[in-house]
CSV table of all heavy atoms in Angstrom, one decimal:
chain,number,residue,atom,x,y,z
A,1559,GLU,N,-9.1,-5.1,-10.2
A,1559,GLU,CA,-9.3,-6.5,-9.6
A,1559,GLU,C,-8.5,-6.6,-8.4
A,1559,GLU,O,-8.9,-7.3,-7.4
A,1559,GLU,CB,-8.8,-7.5,-10.7
A,1559,GLU,CG,-8.8,-9.0,-10.2
A,1559,GLU,CD,-10.1,-9.5,-9.7
A,1559,GLU,OE1,-11.2,-9.0,-10.1
A,1559,GLU,OE2,-10.2,-10.4,-8.9
A,1560,GLU,N,-7.2,-6.1,-8.3
A,1560,GLU,CA,-6.4,-6.2,-7.1
A,1560,GLU,C,-7.1,-5.5,-6.0
A,1560,GLU,O,-7.2,-6.0,-4.8
A,1560,GLU,CB,-5.0,-5.5,-7.3
A,1560,GLU,CG,-4.2,-6.1,-8.5
A,1560,GLU,CD,-3.8,-7.6,-8.3
A,1560,GLU,OE1,-3.9,-8.1,-7.2
A,1560,GLU,OE2,-3.4,-8.2,-9.3
A,1561,ALA,N,-7.7,-4.3,-6.2
A,1561,ALA,CA,-8.4,-3.5,-5.2
A,1561,ALA,C,-9.6,-4.2,-4.6
A,1561,ALA,O,-9.7,-4.4,-3.4
A,1561,ALA,CB,-8.8,-2.1,-5.7
A,1562,ARG,N,-10.4,-4.7,-5.5
A,1562,ARG,CA,-11.6,-5.4,-4.9
A,1562,ARG,C,-11.3,-6.7,-4.3
A,1562,ARG,O,-11.9,-7.2,-3.4
A,1562,ARG,CB,-12.7,-5.5,-6.0
A,1562,ARG,CG,-12.5,-6.4,-7.2
A,1562,ARG,CD,-13.7,-6.6,-8.0
A,1562,ARG,NE,-13.4,-6.9,-9.4
A,1562,ARG,CZ,-13.3,-6.1,-10.4
A,1562,ARG,NH1,-13.4,-4.8,-10.2
A,1562,ARG,NH2,-13.0,-6.5,-11.6
A,1563,ALA,N,-10.2,-7.4,-4.9
A,1563,ALA,CA,-9.8,-8.7,-4.3
A,1563,ALA,C,-9.4,-8.6,-2.9
A,1563,ALA,O,-9.6,-9.5,-2.1
A,1563,ALA,CB,-8.7,-9.3,-5.2
A,1564,MET,N,-8.7,-7.4,-2.5
A,1564,MET,CA,-8.3,-7.3,-1.2
A,1564,MET,C,-9.5,-7.3,-0.2
A,1564,MET,O,-9.5,-7.9,0.8
A,1564,MET,CB,-7.5,-6.0,-1.0
A,1564,MET,CG,-6.8,-5.9,0.3
A,1564,MET,SD,-5.5,-4.7,0.3
A,1564,MET,CE,-6.3,-3.1,0.1
A,1565,GLU,N,-10.6,-6.5,-0.6
A,1565,GLU,CA,-11.8,-6.5,0.1
A,1565,GLU,C,-12.5,-7.8,0.1
A,1565,GLU,O,-13.0,-8.3,1.2
A,1565,GLU,CB,-12.7,-5.4,-0.4
A,1565,GLU,CG,-14.2,-5.4,0.1
A,1565,GLU,CD,-14.3,-5.2,1.6
A,1565,GLU,OE1,-13.5,-4.5,2.2
A,1565,GLU,OE2,-15.4,-5.6,2.1
A,1566,LEU,N,-12.7,-8.4,-1.1
A,1566,LEU,CA,-13.4,-9.7,-1.2
A,1566,LEU,C,-12.7,-10.8,-0.5
A,1566,LEU,O,-13.4,-11.7,0.1
A,1566,LEU,CB,-13.7,-10.0,-2.6
A,1566,LEU,CG,-14.5,-8.9,-3.4
A,1566,LEU,CD1,-14.8,-9.4,-4.8
A,1566,LEU,CD2,-15.9,-8.7,-2.7
A,1567,ASN,N,-11.4,-10.9,-0.5
A,1567,ASN,CA,-10.7,-11.9,0.2
A,1567,ASN,C,-11.0,-11.8,1.7
A,1567,ASN,O,-11.2,-12.8,2.4
A,1567,ASN,CB,-9.2,-11.7,0.0
A,1567,ASN,CG,-8.7,-12.3,-1.3
A,1567,ASN,OD1,-9.5,-12.9,-2.0
A,1567,ASN,ND2,-7.4,-12.0,-1.6
A,1568,GLU,N,-11.0,-10.5,2.2
A,1568,GLU,CA,-11.3,-10.3,3.6
A,1568,GLU,C,-12.7,-10.7,4.0
A,1568,GLU,O,-12.9,-11.2,5.1
A,1568,GLU,CB,-11.0,-8.8,4.0
A,1568,GLU,CG,-10.9,-8.6,5.5
A,1568,GLU,CD,-9.7,-9.2,6.1
A,1568,GLU,OE1,-8.7,-9.6,5.4
A,1568,GLU,OE2,-9.7,-9.3,7.4
A,1569,ARG,N,-13.6,-10.5,3.1
A,1569,ARG,CA,-15.0,-10.9,3.3
A,1569,ARG,C,-15.1,-12.4,3.5
A,1569,ARG,O,-15.8,-13.0,4.3
A,1569,ARG,CB,-15.9,-10.5,2.2
A,1569,ARG,CG,-16.1,-9.0,2.1
A,1569,ARG,CD,-17.1,-8.5,1.0
A,1569,ARG,NE,-17.1,-7.1,0.9
A,1569,ARG,CZ,-17.9,-6.5,0.1
A,1569,ARG,NH1,-18.8,-7.1,-0.7
A,1569,ARG,NH2,-17.9,-5.1,0.0
A,1570,LEU,N,-14.3,-13.1,2.6
A,1570,LEU,CA,-14.3,-14.6,2.7
A,1570,LEU,C,-13.7,-15.1,4.0
A,1570,LEU,O,-14.2,-16.0,4.6
A,1570,LEU,CB,-13.6,-15.2,1.5
A,1570,LEU,CG,-14.3,-15.2,0.1
A,1570,LEU,CD1,-13.3,-15.7,-0.9
A,1570,LEU,CD2,-15.5,-16.1,0.2
A,1571,ARG,N,-12.6,-14.4,4.4
A,1571,ARG,CA,-11.9,-14.8,5.6
A,1571,ARG,C,-12.8,-14.6,6.8
A,1571,ARG,O,-12.8,-15.4,7.8
A,1571,ARG,CB,-10.6,-14.1,5.7
A,1571,ARG,CG,-9.7,-14.6,6.8
A,1571,ARG,CD,-8.4,-13.8,6.8
A,1571,ARG,NE,-8.6,-12.5,7.3
A,1571,ARG,CZ,-8.7,-12.2,8.6
A,1571,ARG,NH1,-8.6,-13.1,9.5
A,1571,ARG,NH2,-8.9,-10.9,9.0
Side-chain angles (χ1 to χ4, degrees):
E1559 174 62 23
E1560 303 294 345
R1562 69 172 155 265
M1564 190 162 66
E1565 165 68 23
L1566 298 181
N1567 283 353
E1568 195 66 17
R1569 292 183 187 186
L1570 284 175
R1571 192 181 68 81

